[in-house]
Amino acid sequence: MFRSVLRLAQVSTRFNQIVSTKVVPKQAVSFTPVSVKKYSSSAVAVTDEEHTAAWISFFERKDLDYVIFKIGFMNLYHEDSVPEPAIVQAALYACRRINNLPLAMRVYFPIQNKCDDRQDIYDYIIQELRPSLDDLGLKTVEEYGLDQVLD
């Protein structure tokens, strides 16, 4: 082990001596990457309808359980847009299939957070979800009183 450390020190000392004696110009001593990884792609962009259909089909999976739902919904939350009401509707029906009311209530909070200060967007989503909420027998967070801070 000590021999390898000693050799590494000798090699780095020789390299510094070569560079400092100007045998090799300092501009010529540069390290270029061997390969460059391209993170962007030239793939075809997904349309809004395809995006919505993909998320709806995710929430309509038969093998969907609590853990998979939470992972998928967090991925949906981390996207840069407010989800369509059809996606939220599919998520609420998935909560009914899982038979988990608290999970259904947790669907509302990220939607409120994504709408942030745009109350008109949140009202539009609730308006579009109203028939589904009535069908499922659910109320909104405001109707349950969960948005109130208790003293």
Side-chain angles (χ1 to χ4, degrees):
M1 181 172 140
F2 291 112
R3 281 187 240 160
S4 62
V5 172
L6 183 61
R7 285 183 189 161
L8 182 63
Q10 290 173 351
V11 168
S12 64
T13 306
R14 280 190 222 143
F15 179 77
N16 289 337
Q17 288 174 354
I18 292 170
V19 172
S20 64
T21 58
K22 297 189 180 185
V23 172
V24 178
K26 288 187 180 182
Q27 292 82 13
V29 181
S30 65
F31 297 101
T32 58
V34 176
S35 65
V36 176
K37 192 169 189 176
K38 186 176 179 183
Y39 288 102
S40 61
S41 66
S42 60
V44 178
V46 178
T47 63
D48 290 338
E49 292 80 18
E50 292 171 344
H51 179 262
T52 302
W55 277 111
I56 290 172
S57 67
F58 173 81
F59 287 119
E60 289 177 349
R61 291 172 44 182
K62 298 297 180 197
D63 64 337
L64 191 70
D65 63 348
Y66 177 77
V67 174
I68 297 172
F69 181 91
K70 288 293 284 184
I71 291 170
F73 200 76
M74 287 310 296
N75 288 339
L76 177 66
Y77 174 72
H78 288 296
E79 290 183 355
D80 288 338
S81 61
V82 178
E84 292 289 327
I87 299 172
V88 179
Q89 177 185 1
L92 289 173
Y93 278 107
C95 292
R96 172 59 74 185
R97 279 194 314 278
I98 297 171
N99 198 18
N100 196 337
L101 177 65
L103 186 61
M105 291 298 101
R106 287 186 197 112
V107 167
Y108 290 115
F109 291 115
I111 302 302
Q112 281 181 330
N113 194 12
K114 290 292 263 187
C115 294
D116 198 27
D117 58 346
R118 297 287 309 268
Q119 187 65 30
D120 56 335
I121 296 175
Y122 181 72
D123 292 339
Y124 168 74
I125 292 174
I126 295 299
Q127 174 190 344
E128 293 293 317
L129 291 177
R130 182 58 60 191
S132 300
L133 294 174
D134 294 339
D135 181 39
L136 292 170
L138 294 174
K139 298 178 184 176
T140 62
V141 174
E142 293 85 12
E143 291 169 352
Y144 278 120
L146 297 175
D147 60 336
Q148 303 295 323
V149 177
L150 300 176
D151 292 330

